[in-house]
Amino acid sequence: MEIKAADVAKLRKMTGAGMMDCKKALTEAEGDFDRAQEIIREKGKLIASKRADREASEGVVVAKTVGSKAYMLCLACETDFVAKNEAFVATANEILDIAIKNDAADIDALMAVKVGDHTVAEFVTDKSGQTGEKVEIAYYARIEASYISTYVHFNGKLGTLIGFNAEVGEEVGKNVAMQAATMAPIAISKDDCPADIVEKERQIGREQARLDGKPEAMLDKIAEGKLNKFFAESTLLGQALIDDNKITVDAYIKKANPSATVVAYKRFSLND
């Protein structure tokens, strides 16, 4: 049967698939739009299955703040060419908007959200069919705080969410978010560093001191000193400010608002 260009365009608008894929699907479905959509969806599943072992190392990071909550998502793919495509970036923002609308708590909750007659997980699989690459949600996070700052690097591959317990001002908030993006702290402060990491660093400090020939009785004290240095280098509030290494990030925040501190922090980078 003859497939009209208008019908192909209509199916493309409905599915986001390429023109040739839409024409083939309509031809196979003998003009039945519902069946054509299913054919395109099945193609997406097939491509996703075939490329499951591929590495989705490119993509785009998007973030938004809505009231007292902020959301960040990375939609990943295989090549930078696809990642920079306007339609791909629009898809990332579309999924983020779905997350915001449903206030998805985590990536599992987001993947289970229904969009029309299919889930976000199925929606992402469909995108594999449209791009011909493995497409996946590589990261998703949500924070809630009294005052929030977000930062996404200009290349779209790195982003941070920072939540404060009180207002600090736009410039301070942005600088702290950029600090976190650049310096990649493992935690907000020493108090919330993972216990296993703290213990590992303590043991490394002891072993270094032992190899340096320090007395056994001094090992614990030396290890604690090295641990404090680790906290200063690896925690957000303990780090020296990039623009002024004479003060810590904590002190910088306190200059803006003595009662303010960071209470939530998320960071994601495709390059890490």
Side-chain angles (χ1 to χ4, degrees), residues 62-64 69-73 96 99-100 103 140-142 161:
V62 290
K64 290 183 182 179
K69 296 178 182 179
Y71 306 77
M72 183 165 64
L73 176 145
L96 185 62
I100 293 169
D103 195 26
Y140 170 73
R142 181 197 69 175
L161 305 178

Side-chain angles (χ1 to χ4, degrees), residues 33-263:
F33 277 89
D34 289 338
R35 176 59 186 145
Q37 287 184 76
E38 189 60 33
I39 290 170
I40 289 172
R41 189 168 298 167
E42 289 301 323
K43 180 189 175 186
K45 291 178 183 177
L46 180 62
I47 290 175
S49 176
K50 286 182 176 180
R51 304 187 77 83
D53 60 343
R54 296 294 185 100
E55 184 179 1
S57 57
E58 296 292 340
V60 61
V61 175
V62 290
K64 290 183 182 179
T65 300
V66 180
S68 62
K69 296 178 182 179
Y71 306 77
M72 183 165 64
L73 176 145
C74 174
L75 188 64
C77 56
E78 295 178 38
T79 65
D80 194 46
F81 175 77
V82 169
K84 290 180 177 178
N85 184 278
E86 288 185 8
F88 187 82
V89 176
T91 296
N93 279 294
E94 183 180 356
I95 296 173
L96 185 62
D97 287 340
I98 292 169
I100 293 169
K101 182 179 179 180
N102 292 273
D103 195 26
D106 53 36
I107 192 167
D108 289 337
L110 173 58
M111 295 292 271
V113 169
K114 277 279 194 175
V115 184
D117 62 347
H118 57 288
T119 64
V120 168
E122 292 168 332
F123 178 74
V124 172
T125 297
D126 290 347
K127 296 303 171 184
S128 290
Q130 294 168 22
T131 63
E133 294 191 0
K134 179 178 181 179
V135 175
E136 64 182 4
I137 297 177
Y139 181 82
Y140 170 73
R142 181 197 69 175
I143 67 168
E144 185 171 2
S146 297
Y147 189 82
I148 294 174
S149 292
T150 68
Y151 173 74
V152 175
H153 197 51
F154 70 88
N155 65 2
K157 300 183 185 301
L158 164 66
T160 54
L161 305 178
I162 305 292
F164 300 87
N165 65 336
E167 186 172 349
V168 295
E170 184 177 348
E171 182 179 359
V172 171
K174 181 180 179 181
N175 286 341
V176 174
M178 290 177 67
Q179 170 94 19
T182 303
M183 300 303 293
I186 64 169
I188 295 172
S189 68
K190 66 179 184 180
D191 295 329
D192 66 339
C193 273
D196 58 332
I197 292 179
V198 172
E199 185 56 32
K200 181 180 179 181
E201 290 298 323
R202 182 179 283 114
Q203 292 303 320
I204 290 173
R206 284 178 55 84
E207 188 60 28
Q208 286 179 340
R210 183 179 283 112
L211 291 174
D212 289 341
K214 303 299 182 183
E216 194 71 22
M218 294 289 293
L219 297 187
D220 286 343
K221 184 176 181 180
I222 293 171
E224 289 306 310
K226 290 182 179 295
L227 193 57
N228 287 332
K229 182 180 179 182
F230 169 78
F231 288 141
E233 294 174 346
S234 303
T235 65
L236 179 57
L237 294 178
Q239 288 177 345
L241 190 69
I242 293 174
D243 292 336
D244 183 358
N245 60 16
K246 294 180 181 179
I247 65 170
T248 63
V249 172
D250 185 43
Y252 175 67
I253 294 170
K254 292 291 192 291
K255 283 178 66 177
N257 184 337
S259 63
T261 190
V262 176
V263 294

